Amino acid sequence: MSHGKKEWFHQAMIYQIYPRSFFDTNNDGIGDLQGIIEKFDYLVELGIDTIWLSPIFKSPQADFGYDVEDYYQIDPIFGTMKDFEELLRVAHEHEIKILLDLVLNHTSDQHEWFKQSRKSRENPYRDFYIWRDGKKPKGRKPPNNWKSFFGGPAWTYDPQTDQWYYHHFLPEQPDLNYRNPQVKKEMFKMTKFWLDKGVDGFRLDVIHHIFEDPELKDNPWSWRLFPSDHSDAFLFQEHRYCQDLPENIEFVKELRTLVEQHEPPRVLLGEVLGPPERVRKYYGPNNDGLHLVFNFTFTSCPFKAKKFLKVISTIESTLPEPFHPCYVFSNHDRPRMISRVGNDERKARLLAFLQMTLRGTPVIYHGEEIGMRQARIPRKRLQDPVGKKFWFSPIPVGRDGCRTPMQWSDDKNAGFSKCNEKDLWLPVEKHYREVNVKRQQNNPQSMLSFYRALIRFRKEHDEILFGTIENITTMKKHVLTYQRTYHQQEMTILLNFSEKSIIVTKDVKISSHDLGEISVSFTTYLDRNKVMIKMKNKNELSLRPLEGIAFRGSLPS
Ligand code: GLC
C-alpha cells in the first residue's frame, strides 16, 4: 500500500454545509436535507467537488447535532434516510462527494447506551462510559480536576448510582470509554454502515480526545484562560491527561485500515485542536493515520505577510510531502473570516486566494463565498450553549454569530425560509440585503463571481493541485510570495498584504521568454486574468493594494 499516492481528496475543494442554516424547505425555521438538494445547482456552479455535512444524525440538539442519540438515523428536523439517500445520489450524479461528520468521542446523554449505563453499576452498558467515585473521603467532589472545554468541571454527579461521569464537552455529551473494546467494535460497525451506504468519507470530530489517561491523573496548572491553536492550556490547566494520548494514534490507524477496505477510496479528515506537531501525529507515523487533518492556525493569524509566512513555513516543515496539509479559515465554531479582517472584502479575497493556492486541500464554510459577516445575536435569541453560558464575556466565545442562515436573496429571512421571522432558529445577519447570492450571482465583480473564478483557476492548474511549494518568502515586508511547480511548469504567487500599491522590482525577475511582459493567470481584482501585462522598466511589477496575483514564471534562482 502506498501512502504517498495522490488521491481525489488531495485535489478536492471541500465545502462545509451546516445543514441547520443552509436552506429550509418545510418552513420550520431550520435548514434541511431537501434544502441542500434544492440548492444543488448553486453548488455545482460554485465549482466545489466535496461537501462536508455537519452532523445530521438523530440528536436532542443540545450541541446542535454534536450530541448523537442514534447514529443510524437521520434527525427528523433534517429529513429522513430517504432524503439522505437522495442527496447522496444527486451528489454522486454530479461527481460531488459527501463527507459525514462523525462524533466518535461522545454520544448524547439520550443515547440508548447512556440511558442504560446510568441505570445501575451492574448494567452491561455501564462501562461504555467513564464512571468514577467522587474524591474521598465523602465523594462529594469530582474524581479529578479536569475541566470541560465548555467551562465548569468535566464531571457530572449522578445520584441514581452515586458516581460521576466524564464529559469533555457538555454534561449532555458523555465521553465514551474506548478502554472497553466493545465500544470501538460498535463504533466501527456504525462507521462501516455509512461506508457501505456509499458516503465518501468522514470529518472526525475532536479525534484527539478519544482516549483518556487510565489513571485519570490531575491536569497540571496553567496561567492560560482561553484556548488557542498553539497551546494545550485553557481554563487554567494544561489538558495533558484528557487528550492526545498515544492510544489515539493507534485508533486512527485502525480506522484507516477499516476505510481502506472500501472502494473507491474514502477520506478521513480529522479535527485536531492544538499545535502543528500534534496535527502531524494524527497523519500517522508513516502517513498511515488520517489522510487530512485540519490546520486552524490561519484562523487566528494577524493580517500580516510575515505572520502568514511563519505559519506556512511551520506547516511545510512539519508536514512535508507526502503529508498533505488542510487549511481552514473559518467554520461553524469560528468567527466569519471577513469580519476578522474588518469586513474588508479585498482582504477576504486575498486570504481566499492564499488558501486556494497553497499546497493542500482547502475547506471553506458555506457563506464565505458571498462574504457573509459575523452576526451579533441579541441575548434573548442566543442558541449556542457556550454563548448562553458566557454571554457576559468581553471576548465573544459564543458560536451563533457564524451560524446564521445562508443569505440567498434580499427577500424576507434572506430567502432562507418562509417561516415567520421569530421562528427562524437564528436571526439573519443584518447586512443580508447587500450580501446575498441573488445580488451577486450575475455581477462579474462580486465576491461570489470571485470565488467561482478562483475555484476554477485552482482546478485548471496542475501546479496548484499537485505542485511542490518553494521559495516561500516575503518581499518589501508586505508581499508574501511562493512558487508552485509541477513537471517544470512554474507558477508564482504574489500577495500584497498592504493597503498601498507596491512595486516589486529587483527581487522579481521573470523567467518567461518575453522579458518585460508577464501573463497573469489570476488576480484577486479579476480584471487582468489571462492577459499579458507590460512591466515597467522591464522587471517592475506593480501590485495594487491588497492584490494577489498568480503568473507563469519564476523567482530568481
Ligand atoms: C467540535 C465541533 C463543535 C462541537 C465539539 C463537541 O469541536 O466542531 O461544534 O461543539 O466538537 O462535539
Side-chain angles (χ1 to χ4, degrees), residues 427-446:
V428 293
E429 201 279 323
K430 66 178 186 207
H431 293 89
Y432 75 93
R433 283 196 187 80
E434 300 100 75
V435 181
N436 64 64
V437 171
K438 194 165 170 212
R439 194 179 163 126
Q440 298 189 13
Q441 199 140 254
N442 300 317
N443 171 359
Q445 283 302 318
S446 68

Side-chain angles (χ1 to χ4, degrees), residues 345-359:
E345 196 177 307
R346 295 168 309 167
K347 291 186 180 172
R349 287 185 186 207
L350 195 70
L351 294 182
F353 180 63
L354 170 70
Q355 183 187 25
M356 282 196 236
T357 53
L358 284 171
R359 190 179 71 82

Side-chain angles (χ1 to χ4, degrees), residues 13 92 106 127 139 160 197 207 315 418 489 496 533:
M13 162 69 237
H92 287 172
H106 47 268
D127 204 29
Q160 198 169 331
K197 200 168 262 304
I207 199 70
I315 303 298
K418 293 201 171 64
Q489 186 83 268
N496 178 8
I533 54 164

Side-chain angles (χ1 to χ4, degrees), residues 3 252-254 256-257 282-290 323:
H3 294 300
V252 298
K253 281 168 64 182
E254 282 181 57
R256 167 84 170 252
T257 309
Y282 286 79
Y283 283 83
N286 301 310
N287 211 5
D288 50 356
L290 304 180
F323 297 98

Side-chain angles (χ1 to χ4, degrees), residues 16 18 52 54-55 63-67 101 103 105-106 149-150 168-170 173 203-209 271 273 294 296 331-334 384-386 399 403:
Q16 178 191 3
Y18 194 68
W52 146 35
S54 278
D63 190 20
F64 299 111
Y66 287 93
D67 49 320
D101 204 323
V103 189
N105 178 64
H106 47 268
F149 191 75
F150 292 158
H168 188 72
F169 296 94
L170 299 174
Q173 295 167 297
R203 177 262 188 191
L204 301 163
D205 193 60
V206 291
I207 199 70
H208 57 306
H209 273 288
E271 183 198 32
L273 306 177
F294 289 132
F296 291 111
N331 66 16
H332 65 294
D333 294 327
R334 315 251 169 172
D384 175 29
V386 185
R399 301 168 294 176
R403 296 177 177 179

Side-chain angles (χ1 to χ4, degrees), residues 316-330:
E316 279 298 324
S317 57
T318 326
L319 294 174
E321 287 270 12
F323 297 98
H324 198 78
C326 180
Y327 291 104
V328 178
F329 270 104
S330 59

